[in-house]
Amino acid sequence: MRILVTGASGFVGGVTADLLCAAGHQVTALVRDATARSRLSRMVEVVQADLLEPRQLAAAGVSRGFDGVCHLAALTRVRESRETPLRYFAANVTGTINLLAALDAGTRATGVAPRFVFGSSCAVYGDGGTSPIPETRAAAPTSPYGASKLAAEQAVAYQAATGRLGAIVLRSFNVAGAVGSHSDRDSSRIIPAALGVASGRRDAFRVNGDGASIREYVHVVDMARAYLTALRAVVPGQCTVYNVGSGVGVSVSDVLATVESVTGRDVPRVTLPAVPEPRALIADSTRIRADLGWNSPSSTIERIVADAWRSTAVLESVPVGRADVPIGT
């Protein structure tokens, strides 16, 4: 298939673009940052455009008639979204609408109704309720980020209802790890932040409260495989929602202990007052496993941290620590 990947300069988008290319698809990466070229497979076509600029999308050939689209371009920080809500709605909602409009123009011109896989988030569920969270849980976002993702989901679903699109929405929880040249460079996330302490770039890890809050983590390779699997399963005129997660809860303290074990280095902690947040956020991914046959073999916390640490060591030229830790590829 001819597949467009938006957000391919990002962590998950880059891995997804490379995986699709390796699977034999003809991949076009839509990026705002042209330096992403160096991190992507040489077989990936790279075009530069801003989703908030429809004329740039037209110039980049988004309307040429793609068979499939993986839409991962987004702003993703929950706390930041509370400071700049309009920026998040512009990027995540208006950007999605502009993309859908460009694809619709291509469909009308070529007759090709693309398979559309949208990268959404567990933030649409909000903070209430118990875990694990099924797709049947009512959406109740508590942040502009979550609300913007839900609004974008709705735009995708309504466009699919026209029959000029088929869609699957993937609600991810916490994506981590690394593969090849792709690593998570967002130090606001727990694993990159903890590895930053282990590598000596940061003095200590700031723990909000008692460190008992539980989250789950899915390896970026498993997440990218979910996009590949979903593309094959899209049905024209339909929009289906799937959670994507390992289903295994890990506390903040457990993550830090794993980082220390993998790196062979201490991770000093500074305890800060607790912040309002759910005690546990774990996905019920039964549906995607049953319907699409997706699974998450790489998503143990040990494998995730080991792969991320190896990437950190390569990028920063620091010793990797214990040699007996199995490193994923």
PDB file of all heavy atoms in Angstrom, residues 71 92-93 96 100 116 118-125 135 139 146-160 165 167-172 239-243:
ATOM      1  N   HIS A  71      -2.042   8.575  11.345  1.00  0.00           N
ATOM      2  CA  HIS A  71      -1.991   9.971  11.795  1.00  0.00           C
ATOM      3  C   HIS A  71      -1.512  10.028  13.239  1.00  0.00           C
ATOM      4  O   HIS A  71      -2.265   9.764  14.169  1.00  0.00           O
ATOM      5  CB  HIS A  71      -3.378  10.601  11.652  1.00  0.00           C
ATOM      6  CG  HIS A  71      -3.449  12.027  12.118  1.00  0.00           C
ATOM      7  ND1 HIS A  71      -2.396  12.911  12.011  1.00  0.00           N
ATOM      8  CD2 HIS A  71      -4.476  12.732  12.692  1.00  0.00           C
ATOM      9  CE1 HIS A  71      -2.758  14.089  12.497  1.00  0.00           C
ATOM     10  NE2 HIS A  71      -4.014  13.992  12.911  1.00  0.00           N
ATOM     11  N   ASN A  92      -4.234  19.515  17.541  1.00  0.00           N
ATOM     12  CA  ASN A  92      -4.811  18.176  17.559  1.00  0.00           C
ATOM     13  C   ASN A  92      -6.172  18.072  16.891  1.00  0.00           C
ATOM     14  O   ASN A  92      -6.522  17.000  16.371  1.00  0.00           O
ATOM     15  CB  ASN A  92      -4.907  17.683  19.008  1.00  0.00           C
ATOM     16  CG  ASN A  92      -3.544  17.540  19.661  1.00  0.00           C
ATOM     17  OD1 ASN A  92      -2.522  17.595  18.996  1.00  0.00           O
ATOM     18  ND2 ASN A  92      -3.522  17.384  20.972  1.00  0.00           N
ATOM     19  N   VAL A  93      -6.941  19.139  16.896  1.00  0.00           N
ATOM     20  CA  VAL A  93      -8.265  19.097  16.267  1.00  0.00           C
ATOM     21  C   VAL A  93      -8.214  19.730  14.872  1.00  0.00           C
ATOM     22  O   VAL A  93      -8.542  19.076  13.873  1.00  0.00           O
ATOM     23  CB  VAL A  93      -9.327  19.794  17.144  1.00  0.00           C
ATOM     24  CG1 VAL A  93     -10.701  19.679  16.479  1.00  0.00           C
ATOM     25  CG2 VAL A  93      -9.362  19.167  18.534  1.00  0.00           C
ATOM     26  N   THR A  96      -6.040  17.786  12.509  1.00  0.00           N
ATOM     27  CA  THR A  96      -6.693  16.562  12.037  1.00  0.00           C
ATOM     28  C   THR A  96      -7.746  16.866  10.984  1.00  0.00           C
ATOM     29  O   THR A  96      -7.854  16.175   9.961  1.00  0.00           O
ATOM     30  CB  THR A  96      -7.325  15.805  13.214  1.00  0.00           C
ATOM     31  OG1 THR A  96      -6.293  15.437  14.147  1.00  0.00           O
ATOM     32  CG2 THR A  96      -8.054  14.554  12.750  1.00  0.00           C
ATOM     33  N   LEU A 100      -7.894  15.507   7.172  1.00  0.00           N
ATOM     34  CA  LEU A 100      -9.058  14.797   6.639  1.00  0.00           C
ATOM     35  C   LEU A 100      -9.592  15.485   5.380  1.00  0.00           C
ATOM     36  O   LEU A 100     -10.001  14.821   4.425  1.00  0.00           O
ATOM     37  CB  LEU A 100     -10.156  14.714   7.704  1.00  0.00           C
ATOM     38  CG  LEU A 100      -9.878  13.813   8.907  1.00  0.00           C
ATOM     39  CD1 LEU A 100     -10.963  13.995   9.960  1.00  0.00           C
ATOM     40  CD2 LEU A 100      -9.781  12.351   8.485  1.00  0.00           C
ATOM     41  N   PHE A 116      -7.576   4.681   7.467  1.00  0.00           N
ATOM     42  CA  PHE A 116      -7.064   5.745   8.340  1.00  0.00           C
ATOM     43  C   PHE A 116      -6.921   5.193   9.753  1.00  0.00           C
ATOM     44  O   PHE A 116      -7.892   4.715  10.345  1.00  0.00           O
ATOM     45  CB  PHE A 116      -8.050   6.916   8.328  1.00  0.00           C
ATOM     46  CG  PHE A 116      -7.548   8.188   8.966  1.00  0.00           C
ATOM     47  CD1 PHE A 116      -6.922   9.161   8.192  1.00  0.00           C
ATOM     48  CD2 PHE A 116      -7.712   8.412  10.315  1.00  0.00           C
ATOM     49  CE1 PHE A 116      -6.483  10.343   8.771  1.00  0.00           C
ATOM     50  CE2 PHE A 116      -7.277   9.590  10.906  1.00  0.00           C
ATOM     51  CZ  PHE A 116      -6.661  10.563  10.125  1.00  0.00           C
ATOM     52  N   PHE A 118      -5.811   6.357  13.487  1.00  0.00           N
ATOM     53  CA  PHE A 118      -5.595   7.582  14.267  1.00  0.00           C
ATOM     54  C   PHE A 118      -4.995   7.251  15.624  1.00  0.00           C
ATOM     55  O   PHE A 118      -5.524   6.426  16.366  1.00  0.00           O
ATOM     56  CB  PHE A 118      -6.918   8.329  14.441  1.00  0.00           C
ATOM     57  CG  PHE A 118      -6.809   9.554  15.323  1.00  0.00           C
ATOM     58  CD1 PHE A 118      -5.936  10.579  14.991  1.00  0.00           C
ATOM     59  CD2 PHE A 118      -7.574   9.679  16.464  1.00  0.00           C
ATOM     60  CE1 PHE A 118      -5.824  11.699  15.789  1.00  0.00           C
ATOM     61  CE2 PHE A 118      -7.482  10.808  17.270  1.00  0.00           C
ATOM     62  CZ  PHE A 118      -6.597  11.822  16.929  1.00  0.00           C
ATOM     63  N   GLY A 119      -3.889   7.910  15.956  1.00  0.00           N
ATOM     64  CA  GLY A 119      -3.251   7.724  17.256  1.00  0.00           C
ATOM     65  C   GLY A 119      -3.895   8.603  18.308  1.00  0.00           C
ATOM     66  O   GLY A 119      -3.677   9.817  18.336  1.00  0.00           O
ATOM     67  N   SER A 120      -4.698   7.988  19.176  1.00  0.00           N
ATOM     68  CA  SER A 120      -5.336   8.720  20.255  1.00  0.00           C
ATOM     69  C   SER A 120      -4.693   8.331  21.586  1.00  0.00           C
ATOM     70  O   SER A 120      -3.580   7.797  21.616  1.00  0.00           O
ATOM     71  CB  SER A 120      -6.846   8.465  20.261  1.00  0.00           C
ATOM     72  OG  SER A 120      -7.501   9.348  21.154  1.00  0.00           O
ATOM     73  N   SER A 121      -5.392   8.583  22.680  1.00  0.00           N
ATOM     74  CA  SER A 121      -4.765   8.463  23.995  1.00  0.00           C
ATOM     75  C   SER A 121      -5.753   8.036  25.066  1.00  0.00           C
ATOM     76  O   SER A 121      -6.957   8.321  24.977  1.00  0.00           O
ATOM     77  CB  SER A 121      -4.158   9.815  24.385  1.00  0.00           C
ATOM     78  OG  SER A 121      -3.828   9.872  25.748  1.00  0.00           O
ATOM     79  N   CYS A 122      -5.230   7.393  26.107  1.00  0.00           N
ATOM     80  CA  CYS A 122      -6.065   7.047  27.256  1.00  0.00           C
ATOM     81  C   CYS A 122      -6.549   8.288  27.991  1.00  0.00           C
ATOM     82  O   CYS A 122      -7.441   8.200  28.829  1.00  0.00           O
ATOM     83  CB  CYS A 122      -5.288   6.149  28.224  1.00  0.00           C
ATOM     84  SG  CYS A 122      -3.863   6.956  28.996  1.00  0.00           S
ATOM     85  N   ALA A 123      -5.973   9.454  27.663  1.00  0.00           N
ATOM     86  CA  ALA A 123      -6.403  10.698  28.306  1.00  0.00           C
ATOM     87  C   ALA A 123      -7.866  11.010  28.022  1.00  0.00           C
ATOM     88  O   ALA A 123      -8.482  11.800  28.740  1.00  0.00           O
ATOM     89  CB  ALA A 123      -5.524  11.859  27.848  1.00  0.00           C
ATOM     90  N   VAL A 124      -8.447  10.396  27.004  1.00  0.00           N
ATOM     91  CA  VAL A 124      -9.866  10.634  26.723  1.00  0.00           C
ATOM     92  C   VAL A 124     -10.748  10.072  27.829  1.00  0.00           C
ATOM     93  O   VAL A 124     -11.892  10.511  28.000  1.00  0.00           O
ATOM     94  CB  VAL A 124     -10.296  10.042  25.363  1.00  0.00           C
ATOM     95  CG1 VAL A 124      -9.448  10.616  24.236  1.00  0.00           C
ATOM     96  CG2 VAL A 124     -10.242   8.529  25.372  1.00  0.00           C
ATOM     97  N   TYR A 125     -10.239   9.106  28.608  1.00  0.00           N
ATOM     98  CA  TYR A 125     -11.041   8.505  29.672  1.00  0.00           C
ATOM     99  C   TYR A 125     -11.081   9.363  30.929  1.00  0.00           C
ATOM    100  O   TYR A 125     -11.938   9.158  31.796  1.00  0.00           O
ATOM    101  CB  TYR A 125     -10.485   7.126  30.039  1.00  0.00           C
ATOM    102  CG  TYR A 125     -10.596   6.098  28.944  1.00  0.00           C
ATOM    103  CD1 TYR A 125      -9.463   5.560  28.345  1.00  0.00           C
ATOM    104  CD2 TYR A 125     -11.840   5.659  28.500  1.00  0.00           C
ATOM    105  CE1 TYR A 125      -9.562   4.611  27.343  1.00  0.00           C
ATOM    106  CE2 TYR A 125     -11.946   4.716  27.490  1.00  0.00           C
ATOM    107  CZ  TYR A 125     -10.800   4.196  26.914  1.00  0.00           C
ATOM    108  OH  TYR A 125     -10.900   3.254  25.916  1.00  0.00           O
ATOM    109  N   GLU A 135     -12.720  -0.231  26.388  1.00  0.00           N
ATOM    110  CA  GLU A 135     -13.167   0.785  25.432  1.00  0.00           C
ATOM    111  C   GLU A 135     -14.606   1.228  25.699  1.00  0.00           C
ATOM    112  O   GLU A 135     -15.017   2.302  25.237  1.00  0.00           O
ATOM    113  CB  GLU A 135     -13.073   0.247  23.997  1.00  0.00           C
ATOM    114  CG  GLU A 135     -11.660   0.025  23.513  1.00  0.00           C
ATOM    115  CD  GLU A 135     -11.147  -1.379  23.822  1.00  0.00           C
ATOM    116  OE1 GLU A 135     -11.784  -2.096  24.644  1.00  0.00           O
ATOM    117  OE2 GLU A 135     -10.126  -1.768  23.254  1.00  0.00           O
ATOM    118  N   ALA A 139     -16.041   8.219  27.767  1.00  0.00           N
ATOM    119  CA  ALA A 139     -14.985   9.222  27.689  1.00  0.00           C
ATOM    120  C   ALA A 139     -15.347  10.401  28.580  1.00  0.00           C
ATOM    121  O   ALA A 139     -16.475  10.896  28.547  1.00  0.00           O
ATOM    122  CB  ALA A 139     -14.789   9.678  26.256  1.00  0.00           C
ATOM    123  N   GLY A 146      -6.653  15.657  26.509  1.00  0.00           N
ATOM    124  CA  GLY A 146      -7.622  14.570  26.355  1.00  0.00           C
ATOM    125  C   GLY A 146      -8.848  15.006  25.579  1.00  0.00           C
ATOM    126  O   GLY A 146      -9.361  14.271  24.731  1.00  0.00           O
ATOM    127  N   ALA A 147      -9.318  16.215  25.864  1.00  0.00           N
ATOM    128  CA  ALA A 147     -10.503  16.725  25.166  1.00  0.00           C
ATOM    129  C   ALA A 147     -10.228  16.931  23.685  1.00  0.00           C
ATOM    130  O   ALA A 147     -11.084  16.658  22.835  1.00  0.00           O
ATOM    131  CB  ALA A 147     -10.958  18.027  25.814  1.00  0.00           C
ATOM    132  N   SER A 148      -9.024  17.407  23.361  1.00  0.00           N
ATOM    133  CA  SER A 148      -8.691  17.625  21.953  1.00  0.00           C
ATOM    134  C   SER A 148      -8.578  16.301  21.207  1.00  0.00           C
ATOM    135  O   SER A 148      -8.982  16.195  20.046  1.00  0.00           O
ATOM    136  CB  SER A 148      -7.392  18.425  21.828  1.00  0.00           C
ATOM    137  OG  SER A 148      -6.262  17.684  22.260  1.00  0.00           O
ATOM    138  N   LYS A 149      -8.047  15.271  21.863  1.00  0.00           N
ATOM    139  CA  LYS A 149      -7.964  13.959  21.238  1.00  0.00           C
ATOM    140  C   LYS A 149      -9.360  13.372  21.011  1.00  0.00           C
ATOM    141  O   LYS A 149      -9.636  12.761  19.963  1.00  0.00           O
ATOM    142  CB  LYS A 149      -7.124  13.012  22.099  1.00  0.00           C
ATOM    143  CG  LYS A 149      -5.634  13.195  21.919  1.00  0.00           C
ATOM    144  CD  LYS A 149      -5.201  12.832  20.504  1.00  0.00           C
ATOM    145  CE  LYS A 149      -3.708  12.768  20.343  1.00  0.00           C
ATOM    146  NZ  LYS A 149      -3.317  12.429  18.950  1.00  0.00           N
ATOM    147  N   LEU A 150     -10.243  13.541  21.968  1.00  0.00           N
ATOM    148  CA  LEU A 150     -11.608  13.040  21.814  1.00  0.00           C
ATOM    149  C   LEU A 150     -12.325  13.759  20.674  1.00  0.00           C
ATOM    150  O   LEU A 150     -13.018  13.122  19.858  1.00  0.00           O
ATOM    151  CB  LEU A 150     -12.384  13.201  23.117  1.00  0.00           C
ATOM    152  CG  LEU A 150     -13.829  12.689  23.101  1.00  0.00           C
ATOM    153  CD1 LEU A 150     -13.891  11.201  22.790  1.00  0.00           C
ATOM    154  CD2 LEU A 150     -14.515  12.987  24.445  1.00  0.00           C
ATOM    155  N   ALA A 151     -12.161  15.074  20.582  1.00  0.00           N
ATOM    156  CA  ALA A 151     -12.789  15.836  19.497  1.00  0.00           C
ATOM    157  C   ALA A 151     -12.256  15.374  18.141  1.00  0.00           C
ATOM    158  O   ALA A 151     -13.016  15.238  17.171  1.00  0.00           O
ATOM    159  CB  ALA A 151     -12.541  17.327  19.689  1.00  0.00           C
ATOM    160  N   ALA A 152     -10.957  15.102  18.067  1.00  0.00           N
ATOM    161  CA  ALA A 152     -10.380  14.608  16.812  1.00  0.00           C
ATOM    162  C   ALA A 152     -10.920  13.224  16.476  1.00  0.00           C
ATOM    163  O   ALA A 152     -11.219  12.925  15.310  1.00  0.00           O
ATOM    164  CB  ALA A 152      -8.854  14.583  16.913  1.00  0.00           C
ATOM    165  N   GLU A 153     -11.063  12.365  17.479  1.00  0.00           N
ATOM    166  CA  GLU A 153     -11.668  11.039  17.267  1.00  0.00           C
ATOM    167  C   GLU A 153     -13.057  11.184  16.646  1.00  0.00           C
ATOM    168  O   GLU A 153     -13.429  10.456  15.719  1.00  0.00           O
ATOM    169  CB  GLU A 153     -11.808  10.289  18.593  1.00  0.00           C
ATOM    170  CG  GLU A 153     -10.554   9.672  19.147  1.00  0.00           C
ATOM    171  CD  GLU A 153     -10.861   8.785  20.350  1.00  0.00           C
ATOM    172  OE1 GLU A 153     -12.043   8.421  20.543  1.00  0.00           O
ATOM    173  OE2 GLU A 153      -9.923   8.451  21.105  1.00  0.00           O
ATOM    174  N   GLN A 154     -13.842  12.119  17.179  1.00  0.00           N
ATOM    175  CA  GLN A 154     -15.203  12.296  16.690  1.00  0.00           C
ATOM    176  C   GLN A 154     -15.210  12.779  15.243  1.00  0.00           C
ATOM    177  O   GLN A 154     -16.040  12.336  14.434  1.00  0.00           O
ATOM    178  CB  GLN A 154     -15.942  13.275  17.611  1.00  0.00           C
ATOM    179  CG  GLN A 154     -16.179  12.694  19.003  1.00  0.00           C
ATOM    180  CD  GLN A 154     -16.667  13.732  19.996  1.00  0.00           C
ATOM    181  OE1 GLN A 154     -16.447  14.932  19.828  1.00  0.00           O
ATOM    182  NE2 GLN A 154     -17.341  13.270  21.050  1.00  0.00           N
ATOM    183  N   ALA A 155     -14.283  13.678  14.898  1.00  0.00           N
ATOM    184  CA  ALA A 155     -14.193  14.140  13.509  1.00  0.00           C
ATOM    185  C   ALA A 155     -13.873  12.969  12.578  1.00  0.00           C
ATOM    186  O   ALA A 155     -14.465  12.839  11.496  1.00  0.00           O
ATOM    187  CB  ALA A 155     -13.124  15.228  13.391  1.00  0.00           C
ATOM    188  N   VAL A 156     -12.945  12.105  13.010  1.00  0.00           N
ATOM    189  CA  VAL A 156     -12.585  10.933  12.206  1.00  0.00           C
ATOM    190  C   VAL A 156     -13.785  10.014  12.041  1.00  0.00           C
ATOM    191  O   VAL A 156     -14.073   9.520  10.934  1.00  0.00           O
ATOM    192  CB  VAL A 156     -11.412  10.179  12.864  1.00  0.00           C
ATOM    193  CG1 VAL A 156     -11.172   8.835  12.170  1.00  0.00           C
ATOM    194  CG2 VAL A 156     -10.145  11.025  12.831  1.00  0.00           C
ATOM    195  N   ALA A 157     -14.518   9.772  13.119  1.00  0.00           N
ATOM    196  CA  ALA A 157     -15.668   8.864  13.062  1.00  0.00           C
ATOM    197  C   ALA A 157     -16.759   9.393  12.143  1.00  0.00           C
ATOM    198  O   ALA A 157     -17.347   8.635  11.353  1.00  0.00           O
ATOM    199  CB  ALA A 157     -16.224   8.644  14.466  1.00  0.00           C
ATOM    200  N   TYR A 158     -17.034  10.674  12.218  1.00  0.00           N
ATOM    201  CA  TYR A 158     -18.061  11.248  11.356  1.00  0.00           C
ATOM    202  C   TYR A 158     -17.636  11.222   9.885  1.00  0.00           C
ATOM    203  O   TYR A 158     -18.456  10.994   8.999  1.00  0.00           O
ATOM    204  CB  TYR A 158     -18.392  12.678  11.796  1.00  0.00           C
ATOM    205  CG  TYR A 158     -19.343  12.741  12.972  1.00  0.00           C
ATOM    206  CD1 TYR A 158     -18.959  13.326  14.173  1.00  0.00           C
ATOM    207  CD2 TYR A 158     -20.626  12.210  12.887  1.00  0.00           C
ATOM    208  CE1 TYR A 158     -19.820  13.382  15.254  1.00  0.00           C
ATOM    209  CE2 TYR A 158     -21.503  12.258  13.966  1.00  0.00           C
ATOM    210  CZ  TYR A 158     -21.096  12.844  15.142  1.00  0.00           C
ATOM    211  OH  TYR A 158     -21.955  12.891  16.216  1.00  0.00           O
ATOM    212  N   GLN A 159     -16.349  11.432   9.625  1.00  0.00           N
ATOM    213  CA  GLN A 159     -15.880  11.360   8.246  1.00  0.00           C
ATOM    214  C   GLN A 159     -15.972   9.920   7.731  1.00  0.00           C
ATOM    215  O   GLN A 159     -16.330   9.685   6.575  1.00  0.00           O
ATOM    216  CB  GLN A 159     -14.445  11.886   8.142  1.00  0.00           C
ATOM    217  CG  GLN A 159     -13.871  11.876   6.744  1.00  0.00           C
ATOM    218  CD  GLN A 159     -14.603  12.802   5.777  1.00  0.00           C
ATOM    219  OE1 GLN A 159     -15.466  13.598   6.167  1.00  0.00           O
ATOM    220  NE2 GLN A 159     -14.264  12.719   4.498  1.00  0.00           N
ATOM    221  N   ALA A 160     -15.664   8.956   8.588  1.00  0.00           N
ATOM    222  CA  ALA A 160     -15.785   7.550   8.182  1.00  0.00           C
ATOM    223  C   ALA A 160     -17.234   7.207   7.842  1.00  0.00           C
ATOM    224  O   ALA A 160     -17.502   6.422   6.922  1.00  0.00           O
ATOM    225  CB  ALA A 160     -15.272   6.636   9.287  1.00  0.00           C
ATOM    226  N   LEU A 165     -14.020   7.041   3.890  1.00  0.00           N
ATOM    227  CA  LEU A 165     -12.905   6.754   4.783  1.00  0.00           C
ATOM    228  C   LEU A 165     -13.269   5.520   5.598  1.00  0.00           C
ATOM    229  O   LEU A 165     -14.442   5.260   5.863  1.00  0.00           O
ATOM    230  CB  LEU A 165     -12.682   7.942   5.736  1.00  0.00           C
ATOM    231  CG  LEU A 165     -11.412   7.979   6.580  1.00  0.00           C
ATOM    232  CD1 LEU A 165     -10.237   8.435   5.730  1.00  0.00           C
ATOM    233  CD2 LEU A 165     -11.590   8.942   7.748  1.00  0.00           C
ATOM    234  N   ALA A 167     -11.773   3.772   9.297  1.00  0.00           N
ATOM    235  CA  ALA A 167     -10.866   4.221  10.349  1.00  0.00           C
ATOM    236  C   ALA A 167     -10.799   3.257  11.520  1.00  0.00           C
ATOM    237  O   ALA A 167     -11.767   2.559  11.850  1.00  0.00           O
ATOM    238  CB  ALA A 167     -11.287   5.605  10.849  1.00  0.00           C
ATOM    239  N   ILE A 168      -9.643   3.236  12.143  1.00  0.00           N
ATOM    240  CA  ILE A 168      -9.441   2.601  13.442  1.00  0.00           C
ATOM    241  C   ILE A 168      -8.735   3.619  14.324  1.00  0.00           C
ATOM    242  O   ILE A 168      -7.778   4.268  13.900  1.00  0.00           O
ATOM    243  CB  ILE A 168      -8.617   1.306  13.332  1.00  0.00           C
ATOM    244  CG1 ILE A 168      -9.499   0.180  12.753  1.00  0.00           C
ATOM    245  CG2 ILE A 168      -8.045   0.887  14.681  1.00  0.00           C
ATOM    246  CD1 ILE A 168      -8.787  -1.151  12.598  1.00  0.00           C
ATOM    247  N   VAL A 169      -9.229   3.768  15.551  1.00  0.00           N
ATOM    248  CA  VAL A 169      -8.624   4.658  16.540  1.00  0.00           C
ATOM    249  C   VAL A 169      -7.864   3.802  17.545  1.00  0.00           C
ATOM    250  O   VAL A 169      -8.426   2.871  18.119  1.00  0.00           O
ATOM    251  CB  VAL A 169      -9.713   5.486  17.262  1.00  0.00           C
ATOM    252  CG1 VAL A 169      -9.102   6.271  18.423  1.00  0.00           C
ATOM    253  CG2 VAL A 169     -10.413   6.422  16.288  1.00  0.00           C
ATOM    254  N   LEU A 170      -6.593   4.116  17.743  1.00  0.00           N
ATOM    255  CA  LEU A 170      -5.767   3.404  18.715  1.00  0.00           C
ATOM    256  C   LEU A 170      -5.519   4.323  19.910  1.00  0.00           C
ATOM    257  O   LEU A 170      -4.848   5.353  19.784  1.00  0.00           O
ATOM    258  CB  LEU A 170      -4.432   2.993  18.093  1.00  0.00           C
ATOM    259  CG  LEU A 170      -4.510   2.041  16.896  1.00  0.00           C
ATOM    260  CD1 LEU A 170      -3.100   1.731  16.391  1.00  0.00           C
ATOM    261  CD2 LEU A 170      -5.244   0.749  17.256  1.00  0.00           C
ATOM    262  N   ARG A 171      -6.076   3.934  21.062  1.00  0.00           N
ATOM    263  CA  ARG A 171      -5.862   4.706  22.289  1.00  0.00           C
ATOM    264  C   ARG A 171      -4.682   4.101  23.051  1.00  0.00           C
ATOM    265  O   ARG A 171      -4.800   3.041  23.658  1.00  0.00           O
ATOM    266  CB  ARG A 171      -7.122   4.693  23.151  1.00  0.00           C
ATOM    267  CG  ARG A 171      -8.280   5.485  22.551  1.00  0.00           C
ATOM    268  CD  ARG A 171      -9.548   5.332  23.368  1.00  0.00           C
ATOM    269  NE  ARG A 171     -10.627   6.182  22.840  1.00  0.00           N
ATOM    270  CZ  ARG A 171     -11.899   6.099  23.235  1.00  0.00           C
ATOM    271  NH1 ARG A 171     -12.260   5.195  24.135  1.00  0.00           N
ATOM    272  NH2 ARG A 171     -12.808   6.903  22.709  1.00  0.00           N
ATOM    273  N   SER A 172      -3.552   4.789  23.002  1.00  0.00           N
ATOM    274  CA  SER A 172      -2.352   4.285  23.678  1.00  0.00           C
ATOM    275  C   SER A 172      -2.317   4.783  25.119  1.00  0.00           C
ATOM    276  O   SER A 172      -2.950   5.785  25.467  1.00  0.00           O
ATOM    277  CB  SER A 172      -1.093   4.731  22.931  1.00  0.00           C
ATOM    278  OG  SER A 172      -0.976   6.140  22.949  1.00  0.00           O
ATOM    279  N   CYS A 239     -15.666   3.047  11.846  1.00  0.00           N
ATOM    280  CA  CYS A 239     -14.628   3.562  12.735  1.00  0.00           C
ATOM    281  C   CYS A 239     -14.679   2.746  14.019  1.00  0.00           C
ATOM    282  O   CYS A 239     -15.703   2.728  14.708  1.00  0.00           O
ATOM    283  CB  CYS A 239     -14.830   5.045  13.039  1.00  0.00           C
ATOM    284  SG  CYS A 239     -13.553   5.750  14.123  1.00  0.00           S
ATOM    285  N   THR A 240     -13.600   2.045  14.335  1.00  0.00           N
ATOM    286  CA  THR A 240     -13.534   1.177  15.507  1.00  0.00           C
ATOM    287  C   THR A 240     -12.447   1.668  16.444  1.00  0.00           C
ATOM    288  O   THR A 240     -11.373   2.089  15.996  1.00  0.00           O
ATOM    289  CB  THR A 240     -13.222  -0.275  15.094  1.00  0.00           C
ATOM    290  OG1 THR A 240     -14.161  -0.686  14.100  1.00  0.00           O
ATOM    291  CG2 THR A 240     -13.313  -1.215  16.282  1.00  0.00           C
ATOM    292  N   VAL A 241     -12.721   1.616  17.742  1.00  0.00           N
ATOM    293  CA  VAL A 241     -11.777   2.096  18.756  1.00  0.00           C
ATOM    294  C   VAL A 241     -11.149   0.913  19.476  1.00  0.00           C
ATOM    295  O   VAL A 241     -11.850  -0.016  19.890  1.00  0.00           O
ATOM    296  CB  VAL A 241     -12.489   3.005  19.777  1.00  0.00           C
ATOM    297  CG1 VAL A 241     -11.523   3.413  20.902  1.00  0.00           C
ATOM    298  CG2 VAL A 241     -13.060   4.244  19.097  1.00  0.00           C
ATOM    299  N   TYR A 242      -9.815   0.962  19.638  1.00  0.00           N
ATOM    300  CA  TYR A 242      -9.099  -0.071  20.385  1.00  0.00           C
ATOM    301  C   TYR A 242      -8.131   0.560  21.376  1.00  0.00           C
ATOM    302  O   TYR A 242      -7.420   1.513  21.046  1.00  0.00           O
ATOM    303  CB  TYR A 242      -8.274  -0.956  19.443  1.00  0.00           C
ATOM    304  CG  TYR A 242      -9.081  -1.843  18.537  1.00  0.00           C
ATOM    305  CD1 TYR A 242      -9.170  -1.571  17.175  1.00  0.00           C
ATOM    306  CD2 TYR A 242      -9.743  -2.970  19.028  1.00  0.00           C
ATOM    307  CE1 TYR A 242      -9.900  -2.393  16.329  1.00  0.00           C
ATOM    308  CE2 TYR A 242     -10.479  -3.790  18.181  1.00  0.00           C
ATOM    309  CZ  TYR A 242     -10.555  -3.500  16.842  1.00  0.00           C
ATOM    310  OH  TYR A 242     -11.283  -4.318  16.008  1.00  0.00           O
ATOM    311  N   ASN A 243      -8.098   0.013  22.592  1.00  0.00           N
ATOM    312  CA  ASN A 243      -7.021   0.317  23.527  1.00  0.00           C
ATOM    313  C   ASN A 243      -5.781  -0.460  23.115  1.00  0.00           C
ATOM    314  O   ASN A 243      -5.874  -1.589  22.633  1.00  0.00           O
ATOM    315  CB  ASN A 243      -7.391  -0.112  24.951  1.00  0.00           C
ATOM    316  CG  ASN A 243      -8.447   0.769  25.578  1.00  0.00           C
ATOM    317  OD1 ASN A 243      -8.634   1.912  25.181  1.00  0.00           O
ATOM    318  ND2 ASN A 243      -9.139   0.244  26.574  1.00  0.00           N
TER     319      ASN A 243
END
